[in-house]
Amino acid sequence: MSQRAARPKLKVPPDKLGAENHELEALKAAERRATADARLRWHHNNYKIAHETFNHRSSAVDAAIAAGVLKDAARPPGFSCPACAHVDPSGAHFVRNTKVGSSVPLVPYHHAELDLWGPFEVGDPLGFRYLFGGVDRATGKVLLQP
């Protein structure tokens, strides 16, 4: 029996078989790129979540990534947090009344600093998304209410 007789007959012409393999390889490469892009977007989103969790301190998030604590996060190129861009860089500081020789004494619970924070996505069963806070200037007592 000769080698020609031993070869199986191809149902697809040999010139088209190469084109189909090339098309299949192109589809697999596109799928790998799409998977890698989705994974990178997921890592970037995890960085944004960690940035908010670490009280908007990118340096703390970067240190956690470098230490191996956050393994599924990556800093997006040119990362900028809109909330960080709109706040006062000195931060909000609540201190007791430190004026010396005030002409009017402060009466507890008569002068308070109030603020509203949110919306936060915390999965509260009642749907609360905002945090109301107050600080009494005379005593320095703090009230936080969701």
Side-chain angles (χ1 to χ4, degrees):
M1 190 179 209
S2 71
Q3 287 184 347
R4 280 191 187 185
R7 287 186 184 165
K9 291 187 178 180
L10 297 174
K11 294 182 181 179
V12 178
D15 59 336
K16 295 206 175 195
L17 185 62
E20 287 179 1
N21 280 341
H22 180 68
E23 187 176 315
L24 182 62
E25 289 300 320
L27 287 174
K28 286 181 182 178
E31 183 179 350
R32 283 192 300 268
R33 279 192 306 274
T35 302
D37 288 345
R39 188 179 307 120
L40 186 60
R41 281 192 308 272
W42 184 68
H43 283 293
H44 288 170
N45 188 47
N46 285 346
Y47 185 91
K48 292 173 187 174
I49 292 169
H51 175 76
E52 293 171 2
T53 304
F54 281 75
N55 201 20
H56 292 272
R57 290 181 52 216
S58 294
S59 60
V61 178
D62 294 337
I65 291 171
V69 176
L70 292 175
K71 296 180 181 174
D72 57 350
R75 185 182 183 109
F79 175 72
S80 174
C81 174
C84 293
H86 286 94
V87 298
D88 179 14
S90 65
H93 303 283
F94 297 108
V95 294
R96 297 175 79 175
N97 183 20
T98 57
K99 291 182 181 178
V100 179
S102 174
S103 61
V104 179
L106 290 175
V107 179
Y109 305 107
H110 281 236
H111 192 149
E113 304 289 336
L114 304 173
D115 203 352
L116 185 67
W117 294 281
F120 298 111
E121 297 297 332
V122 294
D124 188 276
L126 299 176
F128 293 116
R129 296 177 54 202
Y130 291 87
L131 181 67
F132 174 79
V135 178
D136 178 44
R137 291 193 66 191
T139 63
K141 291 186 179 179
V142 177
L143 166 77
L144 296 173
Q145 178 68 39

XYZ file of all heavy atoms in Angstrom, residues 45-134:
680
model
N -10.861 49.448 38.951
C -12.032 49.718 39.778
C -11.750 49.369 41.239
O -12.173 50.087 42.141
C -13.244 48.936 39.260
C -14.510 49.346 39.959
O -14.784 50.525 40.115
N -15.282 48.366 40.399
N -11.025 48.274 41.479
C -10.662 47.910 42.850
C -9.762 48.970 43.475
O -9.847 49.229 44.680
C -9.968 46.545 42.880
C -10.943 45.417 42.692
O -12.146 45.595 42.799
N -10.432 44.244 42.394
N -8.906 49.590 42.673
C -8.053 50.666 43.197
C -8.920 51.842 43.640
O -8.696 52.415 44.703
C -7.048 51.122 42.142
C -6.069 52.140 42.675
C -4.872 51.729 43.231
C -6.356 53.501 42.640
C -3.973 52.655 43.734
C -5.468 54.421 43.148
C -4.276 54.002 43.697
O -3.409 54.921 44.212
N -9.923 52.205 42.818
C -10.803 53.326 43.174
C -11.567 53.029 44.462
O -11.709 53.893 45.319
C -11.778 53.607 42.032
C -11.103 54.149 40.803
C -12.066 54.259 39.639
C -11.329 54.650 38.373
N -12.208 54.616 37.206
N -12.048 51.794 44.619
C -12.755 51.406 45.839
C -11.815 51.471 47.035
O -12.176 51.977 48.105
C -13.374 50.002 45.682
C -14.497 50.048 44.647
C -13.883 49.468 47.009
C -14.998 48.678 44.227
N -10.591 50.970 46.871
C -9.614 51.005 47.960
C -9.244 52.448 48.310
O -9.061 52.788 49.483
C -8.365 50.217 47.579
N -9.165 53.316 47.308
C -8.856 54.737 47.539
C -9.923 55.354 48.449
O -9.597 56.080 49.386
C -8.781 55.470 46.197
C -8.595 56.942 46.317
N -7.390 57.521 46.642
C -9.475 57.964 46.158
C -7.524 58.828 46.675
N -8.781 59.125 46.384
N -11.192 55.057 48.183
C -12.272 55.573 49.030
C -12.236 54.922 50.416
O -12.476 55.573 51.422
C -13.622 55.320 48.363
C -13.811 56.128 47.100
C -15.050 55.726 46.321
O -15.788 54.831 46.785
O -15.263 56.307 45.249
N -11.931 53.626 50.465
C -11.892 52.905 51.732
C -10.760 53.403 52.623
O -10.918 53.482 53.836
C -11.716 51.394 51.475
O -12.768 50.954 50.609
C -11.761 50.606 52.756
N -9.616 53.749 52.024
C -8.467 54.227 52.779
C -8.545 55.746 52.989
O -7.522 56.412 53.073
C -7.169 53.871 52.051
C -6.736 52.450 52.233
C -7.380 51.427 51.560
C -5.693 52.121 53.067
C -6.988 50.116 51.708
C -5.282 50.816 53.228
C -5.937 49.800 52.548
N -9.753 56.270 53.081
C -9.997 57.683 53.376
C -9.337 58.604 52.347
O -8.756 59.627 52.687
C -9.515 58.024 54.793
C -10.177 59.263 55.331
O -11.227 59.667 54.853
N -9.576 59.883 56.312
N -9.421 58.204 51.072
C -8.924 58.991 49.937
C -7.427 59.262 50.045
O -6.957 60.321 49.639
C -9.713 60.296 49.787
C -11.135 60.059 49.375
N -11.520 59.960 48.073
C -12.262 59.861 50.116
C -12.823 59.729 48.018
N -13.285 59.660 49.243
N -6.678 58.302 50.570
C -5.216 58.429 50.671
C -4.583 57.470 49.676
O -4.441 56.279 49.933
C -4.753 58.124 52.088
C -5.177 59.202 53.075
C -4.697 58.932 54.477
N -3.268 58.663 54.521
C -2.729 57.776 55.353
N -3.486 57.093 56.170
N -1.437 57.586 55.356
N -4.190 57.996 48.526
C -3.576 57.170 47.488
C -2.262 56.568 47.961
O -1.908 55.457 47.580
C -3.333 57.993 46.224
O -4.567 58.373 45.657
N -1.534 57.297 48.809
C -0.260 56.774 49.300
C -0.466 55.505 50.130
O 0.337 54.573 50.057
C 0.467 57.835 50.130
O -0.332 58.220 51.249
N -1.555 55.454 50.898
C -1.842 54.255 51.695
C -2.214 53.083 50.793
O -1.819 51.942 51.044
C -2.966 54.541 52.685
N -2.971 53.354 49.731
C -3.352 52.292 48.798
C -2.115 51.774 48.071
O -1.927 50.556 47.941
C -4.409 52.791 47.789
C -4.773 51.703 46.802
C -5.648 53.285 48.508
N -1.258 52.684 47.619
C -0.035 52.274 46.932
C 0.864 51.447 47.847
O 1.473 50.466 47.414
C 0.717 53.500 46.406
C -0.051 54.227 45.314
O -0.913 53.585 44.665
O 0.205 55.429 45.109
N 0.930 51.833 49.135
C 1.742 51.075 50.095
C 1.148 49.685 50.319
O 1.883 48.696 50.433
C 1.842 51.831 51.411
N -0.180 49.585 50.367
C -0.832 48.282 50.543
C -0.603 47.381 49.334
O -0.412 46.172 49.481
C -2.325 48.468 50.795
N -0.595 47.964 48.143
C -0.318 47.187 46.933
C 1.140 46.715 46.944
O 1.432 45.557 46.655
C -0.627 48.008 45.667
C -2.133 48.231 45.539
C -0.090 47.323 44.422
C -2.530 49.198 44.451
N 2.058 47.613 47.319
C 3.479 47.255 47.353
C 3.765 46.183 48.408
O 4.624 45.327 48.211
C 4.325 48.498 47.628
N 3.018 46.209 49.524
C 3.222 45.225 50.592
C 2.543 43.899 50.276
O 2.729 42.931 51.005
C 2.700 45.782 51.911
N 1.730 43.862 49.221
C 1.054 42.623 48.842
C -0.271 42.412 49.544
O -0.855 41.336 49.454
N -0.747 43.426 50.261
C -2.037 43.314 50.946
C -3.178 43.380 49.930
O -4.133 42.619 50.018
C -2.184 44.423 52.016
C -3.545 44.390 52.660
C -1.091 44.278 53.063
N -3.074 44.293 48.980
C -4.064 44.406 47.894
C -3.459 43.778 46.648
O -2.648 44.391 45.960
C -4.414 45.866 47.626
C -5.181 46.595 48.711
C -5.336 48.054 48.346
C -6.539 45.965 48.913
N -3.851 42.556 46.361
C -3.272 41.850 45.214
C -4.095 42.016 43.942
O -3.612 41.758 42.866
C -3.152 40.361 45.553
C -2.196 40.120 46.685
C -2.081 38.674 47.017
C -1.127 38.509 48.191
N -1.045 37.185 48.689
N -5.338 42.444 44.078
C -6.204 42.550 42.903
C -6.546 44.001 42.586
O -7.641 44.306 42.153
C -7.469 41.725 43.106
C -8.243 42.137 44.344
O -7.707 42.930 45.147
O -9.389 41.684 44.510
N -5.604 44.906 42.834
C -5.815 46.319 42.532
C -4.589 46.857 41.806
O -3.467 46.421 42.053
C -6.049 47.113 43.819
N -4.830 47.786 40.901
C -3.742 48.441 40.168
C -4.122 49.902 39.961
O -5.277 50.206 39.648
C -3.509 47.767 38.823
N -3.154 50.793 40.155
C -3.416 52.220 40.001
C -3.634 52.547 38.524
O -2.772 52.263 37.689
C -2.239 53.024 40.545
C -2.495 54.519 40.515
C -1.282 55.284 41.023
N -1.565 56.695 41.056
C -1.735 57.398 42.161
N -1.623 56.820 43.323
N -2.000 58.678 42.106
N -4.780 53.158 38.193
C -5.019 53.548 36.804
C -4.046 54.648 36.383
O -3.675 55.493 37.198
C -6.456 54.081 36.812
C -7.057 53.605 38.079
C -5.934 53.422 39.040
N -3.614 54.655 35.132
C -2.718 55.723 34.687
C -3.425 57.069 34.762
O -4.583 57.205 34.372
C -2.394 55.350 33.240
C -3.214 54.167 32.896
C -3.911 53.689 34.112
N -2.757 58.047 35.331
C -3.340 59.383 35.463
C -4.517 59.417 36.410
O -5.458 60.191 36.204
N -4.484 58.593 37.470
C -5.615 58.493 38.397
C -5.890 59.837 39.053
O -4.992 60.511 39.542
C -5.325 57.447 39.476
C -6.393 57.371 40.530
C -7.618 56.832 40.243
C -6.161 57.858 41.799
C -8.606 56.763 41.205
C -7.139 57.791 42.766
C -8.369 57.244 42.474
N -7.155 60.231 39.049
C -7.607 61.458 39.695
C -8.970 61.194 40.309
O -9.872 60.707 39.631
C -7.688 62.584 38.671
O -8.247 63.730 39.265
N -9.107 61.483 41.578
C -10.376 61.274 42.279
C -11.170 62.581 42.255
O -10.677 63.606 42.736
C -10.094 60.836 43.717
S -11.564 60.695 44.742
N -12.400 62.573 41.726
C -13.189 63.809 41.681
C -13.477 64.379 43.070
O -13.476 65.588 43.254
C -14.493 63.399 40.992
C -14.195 62.119 40.304
C -13.080 61.478 41.048
N -13.696 63.504 44.053
C -13.971 63.990 45.411
C -12.747 64.677 45.997
O -12.856 65.716 46.652
C -14.407 62.830 46.297
N -11.569 64.098 45.766
C -10.329 64.702 46.278
C -10.050 66.046 45.607
O -9.476 66.945 46.221
C -9.150 63.762 46.063
S -9.221 62.255 47.044
N -10.443 66.181 44.357
C -10.191 67.424 43.624
C -11.065 68.572 44.118
O -10.719 69.734 43.929
C -10.422 67.206 42.130
N -12.188 68.254 44.772
C -13.126 69.300 45.199
C -13.011 69.681 46.660
O -13.721 70.563 47.117
C -14.562 68.859 44.918
C -14.904 68.908 43.478
N -14.784 67.822 42.658
C -15.317 69.928 42.690
C -15.139 68.152 41.432
N -15.450 69.425 41.417
N -12.146 69.043 47.419
C -12.092 69.339 48.850
C -10.938 70.258 49.176
O -10.009 70.422 48.409
C -11.966 68.045 49.693
C -13.163 67.168 49.504
C -10.690 67.306 49.388
N -11.018 70.805 50.360
C -9.954 71.649 50.887
C -8.777 70.756 51.267
O -8.950 69.810 52.034
C -10.487 72.388 52.117
C -9.460 73.279 52.765
O -8.416 73.544 52.138
O -9.709 73.718 53.898
N -7.579 71.014 50.748
C -6.456 70.124 51.044
C -6.072 70.089 52.522
O -5.450 69.153 52.979
C -5.311 70.674 50.195
C -5.706 72.046 49.834
C -7.204 72.103 49.856
N -6.463 71.111 53.289
C -6.122 71.092 54.712
C -7.035 70.149 55.488
O -6.714 69.746 56.592
C -6.219 72.502 55.301
O -7.565 72.945 55.263
N -8.197 69.804 54.919
C -9.112 68.876 55.583
C -9.994 69.583 56.592
O -9.774 70.724 56.977
N -11.017 68.880 57.041
C -11.940 69.424 58.031
C -11.455 69.011 59.414
O -11.236 67.841 59.681
C -13.350 68.906 57.789
N -11.275 69.972 60.275
C -10.805 69.697 61.623
C -11.818 70.251 62.618
O -12.161 71.429 62.573
C -9.438 70.335 61.867
C -8.402 69.884 60.888
N -7.801 68.665 60.971
C -7.877 70.488 59.798
C -6.938 68.530 59.987
N -6.976 69.623 59.244
N -12.289 69.432 63.515
C -13.214 69.857 64.545
C -12.444 69.964 65.851
O -11.892 68.978 66.340
C -14.363 68.868 64.696
C -15.214 68.760 63.470
C -15.161 67.640 62.675
C -16.056 69.786 63.100
C -15.935 67.541 61.547
C -16.838 69.700 61.975
C -16.776 68.576 61.191
N -12.370 71.148 66.388
C -11.676 71.361 67.658
C -12.608 72.113 68.596
O -13.548 72.779 68.165
C -10.365 72.155 67.470
C -9.364 71.358 66.669
C -10.622 73.493 66.820
N -12.323 71.979 69.847
C -13.109 72.718 70.838
C -12.773 74.202 70.737
O -11.764 74.600 70.159
C -12.800 72.191 72.221
C -13.207 70.738 72.368
C -12.792 70.205 73.669
N -13.751 70.655 74.677
C -13.711 70.272 75.925
N -12.777 69.468 76.336
N -14.606 70.708 76.772
N -13.596 75.009 71.342
C -13.379 76.445 71.320
C -12.060 76.760 72.023
O -11.888 76.461 73.203
C -14.547 77.155 71.999
C -14.404 78.655 71.935
O -13.658 79.161 71.102
N -15.106 79.355 72.807
N -11.131 77.351 71.309
C -9.819 77.648 71.886
C -9.574 79.146 72.016
O -8.460 79.558 72.312
C -8.713 77.034 71.014
O -8.836 77.535 69.692
C -8.793 75.521 71.015
N -10.597 79.951 71.805
C -10.421 81.395 71.935
C -10.164 81.735 73.404
O -10.826 81.239 74.305
C -11.663 82.140 71.458
C -11.881 82.065 69.972
C -13.098 82.878 69.574
C -13.332 82.794 68.097
N -14.534 83.522 67.697
N -9.200 82.602 73.610
C -8.876 83.037 74.969
C -9.617 84.339 75.240
O -9.592 85.263 74.437
C -7.353 83.246 75.110
C -7.016 83.725 76.513
C -6.621 81.981 74.769
N -10.301 84.387 76.369
C -10.985 85.618 76.777
C -12.183 85.939 75.915
O -12.395 87.088 75.573
N -12.981 84.947 75.555
C -14.174 85.192 74.762
C -15.159 86.007 75.580
O -15.383 85.757 76.765
C -14.804 83.859 74.353
O -16.026 84.080 73.702
N -15.765 87.002 74.964
C -16.709 87.856 75.685
C -18.030 87.138 75.939
O -18.710 87.445 76.908
C -16.944 89.147 74.911
O -17.491 88.836 73.647
N -18.385 86.187 75.086
C -19.643 85.459 75.258
C -19.301 83.998 75.544
O -18.707 83.321 74.696
C -20.515 85.562 73.993
C -21.811 84.777 74.155
C -20.788 86.997 73.636
N -19.654 83.488 76.708
C -19.359 82.083 76.981
C -20.256 81.185 76.125
O -21.411 81.514 75.857
C -19.671 81.930 78.471
C -20.633 83.025 78.772
C -20.313 84.138 77.818
N -19.693 80.075 75.712
C -20.456 79.135 74.911
C -21.316 78.266 75.815
O -20.834 77.707 76.801
C -19.520 78.248 74.085
C -18.789 78.944 72.948
C -17.814 77.987 72.283
C -19.774 79.460 71.915
N -22.569 78.171 75.470
C -23.504 77.337 76.212
C -23.589 75.996 75.487
O -23.763 75.970 74.266
C -24.893 78.009 76.289
C -25.878 77.147 77.039
C -24.774 79.384 76.912
N -23.464 74.887 76.232
C -23.528 73.582 75.563
C -24.818 73.410 74.762
O -25.898 73.806 75.209
C -23.458 72.587 76.720
C -22.743 73.333 77.804
C -23.168 74.762 77.643
N -24.670 72.866 73.564
C -25.758 72.540 72.639
C -26.480 73.765 72.072
O -27.555 73.647 71.514
C -26.768 71.586 73.280
C -26.107 70.339 73.807
C -25.946 70.145 75.176
C -25.605 69.393 72.944
C -25.315 69.020 75.657
C -24.956 68.261 73.412
C -24.823 68.075 74.775
O -24.183 66.968 75.246
N -25.890 74.957 72.210
C -26.494 76.143 71.624
C -25.789 76.568 70.342
O -26.330 77.344 69.569
C -26.487 77.308 72.627
C -27.571 77.199 73.648
N -28.494 78.184 73.853
C -27.908 76.204 74.493
C -29.337 77.823 74.787
N -28.994 76.609 75.204
N -24.559 76.112 70.160
C -23.820 76.448 68.948
C -23.163 75.160 68.450
O -22.295 74.607 69.110
C -22.762 77.498 69.249
C -22.174 78.096 68.014
N -21.717 79.381 67.954
C -21.969 77.599 66.769
C -21.254 79.632 66.745
N -21.390 78.562 66.016
N -23.608 74.695 67.272
C -23.104 73.422 66.742
C -22.686 73.588 65.289
O -23.214 74.445 64.570
C -24.173 72.341 66.857
N -21.728 72.764 64.883
C -21.300 72.676 63.484
C -21.976 71.438 62.898
O -21.853 70.342 63.448
C -19.776 72.527 63.389
C -18.996 73.622 64.068
C -19.079 74.948 63.344
O -19.337 74.945 62.120
O -18.888 75.981 63.995
N -22.691 71.595 61.780
C -23.444 70.495 61.177
C -22.971 70.258 59.751
O -22.583 71.196 59.059
C -24.944 70.796 61.181
C -25.563 71.116 62.538
C -27.006 71.546 62.364
C -25.467 69.923 63.460
N -23.069 69.002 59.338
C -22.702 68.672 57.968
C -23.441 67.413 57.548
O -23.894 66.634 58.382
C -21.203 68.465 57.832
C -20.713 68.685 56.406
O -21.554 68.846 55.501
O -19.494 68.687 56.197
N -23.549 67.230 56.236
C -24.201 66.057 55.651
C -23.235 65.451 54.647
O -22.715 66.149 53.781
C -25.499 66.479 54.943
C -26.372 65.387 54.371
C -26.955 64.534 55.492
C -27.502 65.986 53.564
N -22.962 64.131 54.780
C -22.033 63.439 53.892
C -22.784 62.385 53.093
O -23.676 61.725 53.620
C -20.920 62.742 54.688
C -20.009 63.676 55.400
C -18.982 64.376 54.870
C -20.044 63.999 56.789
N -18.353 65.112 55.850
C -18.997 64.902 57.033
C -20.859 63.625 57.850
C -18.736 65.424 58.291
C -20.608 64.142 59.099
C -19.555 65.031 59.308
N -22.379 62.199 51.855
C -22.973 61.140 51.050
C -23.095 61.576 49.617
O -22.672 62.651 49.241
N -23.678 60.762 48.787
C -24.254 59.440 49.075
C -23.167 58.365 49.148
O -22.178 58.422 48.446
C -25.174 59.185 47.887
C -24.540 59.936 46.758
C -23.891 61.156 47.388
N -23.377 57.387 50.030
C -22.490 56.245 50.178
C -23.243 54.996 49.773
O -24.414 54.834 50.107
C -22.036 56.085 51.635
C -21.247 57.252 52.159
C -21.771 58.093 53.119
C -19.978 57.503 51.685
C -21.048 59.159 53.606
C -19.241 58.574 52.166
C -19.779 59.404 53.128
N -22.594 54.108 49.061
C -23.182 52.816 48.689
C -22.714 51.789 49.712
O -21.644 51.224 49.597
C -22.754 52.404 47.279
C -23.228 53.347 46.199
C -24.734 53.432 46.084
O -25.426 52.451 46.428
O -25.229 54.482 45.668
N -23.515 51.592 50.766
C -23.118 50.670 51.840
C -24.031 49.463 51.936
O -23.818 48.600 52.769
C -23.077 51.403 53.201
C -21.989 52.440 53.208
C -24.422 52.029 53.521
N -25.052 49.388 51.106
C -25.951 48.242 51.124
C -26.836 48.201 52.356
O -27.157 47.127 52.859
N -27.211 49.362 52.863
C -28.066 49.411 54.043
C -29.436 48.818 53.706
O -30.016 49.146 52.662
C -28.224 50.871 54.500
C -28.944 50.976 55.822
O -30.187 50.954 55.806
O -28.254 51.067 56.856
N -29.987 47.939 54.564
C -31.278 47.315 54.257
C -32.428 48.318 54.173
O -33.419 48.073 53.500
C -31.494 46.312 55.387
C -30.522 46.656 56.451
C -29.416 47.433 55.827
N -32.287 49.459 54.847
C -33.343 50.472 54.800
C -33.107 51.516 53.710
O -33.913 52.416 53.527
C -33.466 51.162 56.163
C -33.844 50.236 57.323
C -33.829 51.008 58.637
C -35.204 49.619 57.096
N -31.985 51.406 53.020
C -31.706 52.302 51.906
C -31.043 53.611 52.291
O -30.972 54.529 51.479
N -30.557 53.758 53.534
C -29.895 54.985 53.939
C -28.578 55.135 53.191
O -27.800 54.200 53.105
C -29.643 55.004 55.450
C -30.899 55.074 56.263
C -31.246 54.035 57.103
C -31.739 56.170 56.183
C -32.396 54.087 57.849
C -32.899 56.234 56.926
C -33.227 55.186 57.767
N -28.330 56.319 52.650
C -27.118 56.558 51.873
C -26.355 57.793 52.335
O -25.291 58.079 51.842
C -27.475 56.717 50.401
C -28.071 55.449 49.813
C -28.487 55.629 48.386
N -27.379 56.123 47.600
C -27.530 56.770 46.455
N -28.719 56.997 45.975
N -26.480 57.192 45.784
N -26.907 58.555 53.293
C -26.272 59.783 53.751
C -25.969 59.697 55.240
O -26.624 58.973 55.980
C -27.179 60.992 53.486
C -27.313 61.296 52.018
C -28.284 60.671 51.248
C -26.456 62.189 51.403
C -28.401 60.935 49.890
C -26.559 62.460 50.050
C -27.527 61.834 49.311
O -27.633 62.098 47.985
N -24.971 60.472 55.679
C -24.578 60.515 57.076
C -24.675 61.962 57.542
O -24.087 62.861 56.951
C -23.150 59.999 57.244
C -22.607 59.949 58.653
C -23.364 58.893 59.469
C -21.135 59.605 58.631
N -25.458 62.179 58.599
C -25.629 63.492 59.197
C -24.708 63.572 60.403
O -24.672 62.660 61.224
C -27.091 63.686 59.626
C -27.337 64.953 60.390
C -27.455 66.156 59.726
C -27.434 64.935 61.772
C -27.681 67.321 60.429
C -27.658 66.097 62.474
C -27.778 67.297 61.808
N -23.941 64.649 60.515
C -23.017 64.785 61.633
C -23.071 66.165 62.230
O -23.366 67.153 61.567
N -22.814 66.216 63.529
C -22.793 67.487 64.234
C -21.763 67.469 65.338
O -21.493 66.426 65.931
